[in-house]
């Protein structure tokens, strides 16, 4: 009987850097929540996310508690920390620091993964060393849209790398439980950032009004509802899908690498919207903030339609309907005070969770996947 691979303490220590990095991405988006600001924040988030994904996949397929692997993970953590430090001015004076730290993180992983091999294998890490890393560094020497354009190209290369190197990825022997747990932990990190984004401004406010406290409670209820959407059914479905997939590398690419990028980015967007709502509960949210709050939540819910299709070749009807409802309510939310807009969104997500809970109970199953049936694992 095989022993299930456990998440190493060194991996959890590495995640602490990601907590700070996600906070910095949120701050970048909070500073400029227009379309251009949102695009720049996403472009900056992809390299950070890819550093985490690369090291997570390596830890999944190797012994993360080996001293050399630990030291490499610490070195990558230092690089990720430098990237996070550079983020507030990544499109300003710290662009080269951001790009150089990313390049170093990928060089560390490439040395660990290919150091003993005499030939260069086509992997996502190889492409990042040969293409996306140099593109980021080159962009660090430029300004304005020239930098943004090169960094966007680098992000595109990173996103395309798992598909371009599919043959090499298929040779990897993934541990399903470990991989599903690691990506679930990253979702938890993003949800934790949403709580920090809401609580920190309120804690430093000289006066906490009843409206502010109510908004904090409502934002926390929304964070809990988002947690429920993922961890009540979807987390088990991801693991089940990985374990039963004919080609695990394809599921890992579509559902984990791509799907969770969308999930985590959408949570960050919602966190920015919640923070603004808590800061000004009696005022209307600016249009950009309303789009982040409602659009981010709609993207979060709609992503489960994408992931469920790649897991089980069926649609998550309840979540797609809920996503459409959130988008339909966006114009209404723009006319409401922040607290009311936040309450309306919380009500929709809570209603979704209650509907799915009723669906599971009517089927006579609990979300522990005792039967292993895909139609129970995600409505």
């Amino acid at each position: 009987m095989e022993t299930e691979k456990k998440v190493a303490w060194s991996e959890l220590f590495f995640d602490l850097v990601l907590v700070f990095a996600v906070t910095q991405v949120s701050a970048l988006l909070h500073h400029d929540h227009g379309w251009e600001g949102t695009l720049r924040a996403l472009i900056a988030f992809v390299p950070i996310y890819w550093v985490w994904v690369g090291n997570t996949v390596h830890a999944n397929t190797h012994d993360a508690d080996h001293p050399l692997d630990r030291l490499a993970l610490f070195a990558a953590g230092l690089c990720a920390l430098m990237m996070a430090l550079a983020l507030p001015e990544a499109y300003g004076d710290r662009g080269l620091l951001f790009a150089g730290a990313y390049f170093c993180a990928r060089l560390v992983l490439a040395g660990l993964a290919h150091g003993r091999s005499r030939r260069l294998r086509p992997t996502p890490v190889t492409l990042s060393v040969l293409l996306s890393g140099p593109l980021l560094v080159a962009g660090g020497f430029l300004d304005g849209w020239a930098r943004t354009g090169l960094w966007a190209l680098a992000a595109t290369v990173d996103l395309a790398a798992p598909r371009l190197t599919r043959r090499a990825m298929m040779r990897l022997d993934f541990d399903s439980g470990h991989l599903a747990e690691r990506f679930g932990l990253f979702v938890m990190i993003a949800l934790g950032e949403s709580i920090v984004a809401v609580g920190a401004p309120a804690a430093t406010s000289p006066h906490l009004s009843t409206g502010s406290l109510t908004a904090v409670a409502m934002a926390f209820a929304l964070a809990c509802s988002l947690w429920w959407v993922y961890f009540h059914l979807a987390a088990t479905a991801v693991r089940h899908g990985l374990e039963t997939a004919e080609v695990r590398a394809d599921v890992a690419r579509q559902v984990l690498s791509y799907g969770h990028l969308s999930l985590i980015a959408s949570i960050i967007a919602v966190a920015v919207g919640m923070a603004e709502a808590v800061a000004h509960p009696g005022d209307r949210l600016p249009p950009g903030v309303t789009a982040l709050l409602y659009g981010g939540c709609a993207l979060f819910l709609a992503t489960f339609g994408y992931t469920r299709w790649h897991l089980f070749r069926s649609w998550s009807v309840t979540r797609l309907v809920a996503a459409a409802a959130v988008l339909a309510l966006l114009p209404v939310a723009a006319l409401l005070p922040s607290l009311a807009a936040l309450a309306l969104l919380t009500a929709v997500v809570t209603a979704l969770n209650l509907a799915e809970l009723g669906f599971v109970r009517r089927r006579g199953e609990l979300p522990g996947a005792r039967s292993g049936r895909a139609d129970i694992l995600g409505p």
Side-chain angles (χ1 to χ4, degrees):
M1 181 178 180
E2 292 186 7
T3 303
E4 182 175 310
K5 185 179 181 67
K6 301 294 184 181
V7 175
W9 292 113
S10 56
E11 294 180 84
L12 296 175
F13 182 74
F14 178 69
D15 286 353
L16 296 178
V17 179
L18 268 296
V19 174
F20 178 50
V22 169
T23 300
Q24 293 290 76
V25 173
S26 179
L28 188 66
L29 186 56
H30 185 86
H31 178 71
D32 184 358
H33 39 251
W35 287 109
E36 292 182 7
T38 302
L39 176 62
R40 285 194 291 266
L42 178 60
I43 291 171
F45 177 58
V46 169
I48 291 174
Y49 178 75
W50 231 239
V51 167
W52 183 89
V53 169
N55 283 278
T56 295
V57 170
H58 182 82
N60 181 266
T61 54
H62 296 77
D63 181 10
D65 277 328
H66 187 278
L68 183 60
D69 288 82
R70 281 182 179 175
L71 291 175
L73 196 58
F74 292 162
L78 176 60
C79 294
L81 178 59
M82 294 300 170
M83 293 177 70
L85 290 174
L87 264 178
E89 293 295 328
Y91 291 94
D93 296 337
R94 299 180 186 175
L96 197 55
L97 174 61
F98 180 83
Y102 170 79
F103 196 22
C104 288
R106 301 304 269 177
L107 284 173
V108 168
L109 184 57
L112 188 65
H114 306 303
R116 297 177 182 176
S117 176
R118 294 185 177 181
R119 65 175 185 173
L120 199 61
R121 290 172 293 163
T123 67
V125 179
T126 305
L127 290 184
S128 67
V129 169
L130 297 178
L131 292 175
S132 59
L135 284 171
L136 277 172
V137 172
F141 287 100
L142 303 176
D143 296 315
W145 280 105
R147 176 181 296 180
T148 304
L150 272 186
W151 283 9
L153 181 58
T156 302
V157 170
D158 274 343
L159 291 173
R163 183 66 185 88
L164 295 174
T165 60
R166 179 177 180 268
R167 183 174 297 179
M169 298 299 290
M170 287 176 64
R171 299 192 187 104
L172 296 179
D173 184 18
F174 293 112
D175 185 283
S176 303
H178 174 270
L179 208 56
E181 184 178 1
R182 293 296 290 129
F183 278 85
L185 285 171
F186 203 159
V187 172
M188 193 78 78
I189 288 172
L191 288 171
E193 156 55 23
S194 71
I195 295 174
V196 172
V198 166
T204 57
S205 175
H207 176 67
L208 282 176
S209 64
T210 302
S212 296
L213 291 174
T214 305
V216 168
M218 194 60 63
F220 181 73
L222 177 57
C224 291
S225 295
L226 295 177
W227 179 95
W228 194 281
V229 169
Y230 183 90
F231 289 99
H232 180 63
L233 293 171
T236 306
V238 169
R239 175 167 181 165
H240 177 78
L242 277 171
E243 290 174 343
T244 58
E246 292 184 9
V247 183
R248 289 185 181 179
D250 287 342
V251 174
R253 180 182 73 252
Q254 300 288 357
V255 176
L256 297 181
S257 296
Y258 297 155
H260 280 68
L261 172 63
S262 177
L263 291 173
I264 294 162
S266 61
I267 293 173
I268 293 173
V270 171
V272 173
M274 291 196 301
E276 287 286 339
V278 169
H280 309 284
D283 302 331
R284 290 182 183 175
L285 290 173
V289 176
T290 308
L292 287 175
L293 181 62
Y294 274 67
C297 187
L299 177 61
F300 180 79
L301 298 174
T303 301
F304 290 102
Y306 165 85
T307 56
R308 180 168 168 78
W309 174 258
H310 285 285
L311 285 170
F312 308 120
R313 288 297 185 267
S314 61
W315 297 106
S316 182
V317 177
T318 53
R319 297 182 182 194
L320 290 174
V321 169
V326 169
L327 286 179
L329 289 172
L330 198 158
V332 177
L335 303 176
L336 298 174
S338 299
L339 178 56
L342 192 58
L344 180 61
L345 183 59
T346 304
V348 173
V349 183
T350 301
L352 166 66
N353 288 326
L354 291 174
E356 291 189 343
L357 184 61
F359 171 85
V360 172
R361 286 181 173 175
R362 284 195 300 273
R363 299 296 294 268
E365 296 282 349
L366 293 175
R370 289 194 301 260
S371 68
R373 288 168 52 194
D375 60 332
I376 293 299
L377 290 170

